Amino acid sequence: MEILAFGVQADERPLIERAFEGHHDVHCLDVFLTEDTARIAAGYEIVSTSVNAVLDHRVLQTLAAGGTQMIAQRSTGFNNIDLEVAERLGLTVARVSYYSPYSVAEFAWTLAMAVNRRIVRASNRTRDFDFRLDGLMGRDLRGRTVGVLGTGKIGEAFTRIAHGFGMKLLGWDVAENPACVDLGMRYVEKERLFAESDLISLHVPLLPATRHVVDAAALKAMRDDAILVNSSRGGLVDTEALVAELRAGRFTGVGLDVYEAEAGLFFLDKSLEVVEDDTLARLVTFPNVVVTSHQAYYTADAVGQIVDTTLRNVLDHIEGRRSENVLVPRAG
């Protein structure tokens, strides 16, 4: 059986090809699955997609019409897939429900430290042989308060690192994580978390209830010198409201690995084009903001686990098995 994989990064390709070797033929494309590229999948029973693919009703209808029976998404998140339409069309959908939580947690801390200690500004200066320290002063994190929104596997890993720094721990989630409680975390209402935290990190999934959980009111409640980090999903933050607060001179720093309108931008080279997204263009001009292109998960360990799980999902589909990774089961 031949499998078509969309949105494959150069570093990811050998991992996919090596994993599928001896099982099924996999064809890797660097283009992303969109309404324009969906026709390429005609004749492929199984299609693998990346997190930035947009699988709305038009794309799903094109896939189904071309003979696709299964979509194997190489990510944990699946807010980009219209699952109701997929089920109506008889398309099986599976995701990767677990991979190394340390990849994202460690990267979230990388962003936090980068903005706290002005690493990007310092690096740019020293490239010009400017070795002044003006404007580079950061803060010790020991003894300060960190607020963790979402204390699942990734949030717990982030919390363990915060505990190692000697920080006070506040958490918010629909259910308490005993491991975080054992570390000394106090669960509070999110309004209190926003108001009392020196550093806030987001680790909740993007759902209707969490969309813009960091809205204008939450941003105004935050301390003027707070740090905000988002390595989860862009839609958790109202970016226009964030820009308004940054323009007012607020926040020590903001580290964003995700952006709510990143589809069609992130993972692509837009350096020779005019980016028409005025909000993003304004966001990256702030000296206290670091934006990266959804790379928190991108370690050899995590991507290897993602690829291996994707292979298992494909084999399960072919052999009629169902696992916890299945979002829409095989029809019939």
Side-chain angles (χ1 to χ4, degrees):
M1 181 177 296
E2 293 187 341
I3 300 157
L4 186 63
F6 284 92
V8 177
Q9 302 296 313
D11 298 329
E12 183 185 17
R13 183 173 188 139
L15 297 177
I16 293 177
E17 293 176 341
R18 187 160 55 245
F20 278 80
E21 186 177 5
H23 295 282
H24 299 280
D25 292 333
V26 59
H27 299 273
C28 297
L29 302 177
D30 58 2
V31 298
F32 294 95
L33 179 58
T34 65
E35 187 176 357
D36 294 330
T37 62
R39 294 178 180 84
I40 301 173
Y44 288 91
E45 180 179 328
I46 298 175
V47 168
S48 179
T49 63
S50 63
V51 67
N52 264 9
V54 179
L55 282 79
D56 56 18
H57 69 279
R58 292 183 295 273
V59 170
L60 294 173
Q61 286 170 348
T62 300
L63 292 177
T68 297
Q69 297 180 22
M70 183 208 185
I71 296 166
Q73 175 131 307
R74 303 187 307 280
S75 73
T76 297
F78 53 89
N79 55 284
N80 60 318
I81 307 173
D82 192 325
L83 298 180
E84 292 183 1
V85 172
E87 184 173 14
R88 190 164 65 245
L89 293 171
L91 292 167
T92 301
V93 181
R95 62 159 178 164
V96 176
S97 58
Y98 175 85
Y99 60 86
S100 168
Y102 309 107
S103 60
V104 179
E106 291 171 5
F107 192 84
W109 271 106
T110 301
L111 288 175
M113 296 305 295
V115 296
N116 178 42
R117 302 305 301 269
R118 317 287 198 248
I119 298 299
V120 175
R121 182 185 297 179
S123 177
N124 289 338
R125 279 188 186 178
T126 56
R127 284 177 179 272
D128 292 331
F129 298 100
D130 179 352
F131 301 106
R132 293 172 301 159
L133 298 183
D134 296 348
L136 301 183
M137 184 174 289
R139 296 179 296 176
D140 288 0
L141 293 179
R142 181 176 179 81
R144 287 189 160 83
T145 300
V146 62
V148 185
L149 274 79
T151 55
K153 293 181 177 67
I154 296 173
E156 179 187 330
F158 183 90
T159 300
R160 290 188 182 279
I161 299 172
H163 181 261
F165 273 110
M167 302 187 75
K168 300 172 185 176
L169 309 174
L170 296 181
W172 177 81
D173 209 329
V174 294
E176 295 185 3
N177 183 334
C180 292
V181 173
D182 289 344
L183 292 171
M185 174 172 279
R186 289 182 295 124
Y187 281 83
V188 297
E189 295 297 320
K190 64 177 182 291
E191 291 78 12
R192 180 179 173 187
L193 184 148
F194 284 121
E196 296 184 7
S197 298
D198 298 290
L199 165 62
I200 296 172
S201 190
L202 310 182
H203 301 288
V204 294
L206 180 59
L207 304 168
T210 59
R211 181 169 182 79
H212 286 183
V213 66
V214 183
D215 57 11
L219 290 164
K220 289 187 181 301
M222 289 170 57
R223 296 178 174 179
D224 288 345
D225 60 353
I227 293 171
L228 174 65
V229 173
N230 186 9
S231 58
S232 183
R233 289 292 181 267
L236 299 176
V237 177
D238 183 337
T239 315
E240 291 189 5
L242 174 61
V243 168
E245 296 302 313
L246 289 166
R247 291 185 66 181
R250 301 189 64 223
F251 308 139
T252 289
V254 175
L256 303 175
D257 186 51
V258 287
Y259 173 61
E260 59 182 329
E262 69 182 53
L265 289 172
F266 281 20
F267 304 150
L268 300 172
D269 182 2
K270 297 289 184 178
S271 60
L272 298 180
E273 302 178 26
V274 175
V275 175
E276 298 179 357
D277 188 325
D278 292 338
T279 303
L280 179 60
R282 185 71 182 92
L283 188 64
V284 299
T285 64
F286 292 105
N288 58 335
V289 174
V290 173
V291 178
T292 52
S293 56
H294 206 141
Q295 70 180 81
Y297 77 99
Y298 206 54
T299 67
D301 309 83
V303 174
Q305 291 172 337
I306 290 169
V307 170
D308 289 344
T309 302
T310 300
L311 172 60
R312 289 200 300 273
N313 290 343
V314 167
L315 296 178
D316 284 347
H317 169 76
I318 293 172
E319 298 169 15
R321 296 189 298 266
R322 180 175 176 179
S323 73
E324 71 280 0
N325 296 322
V326 175
L327 298 170
V328 178
R330 186 171 185 170

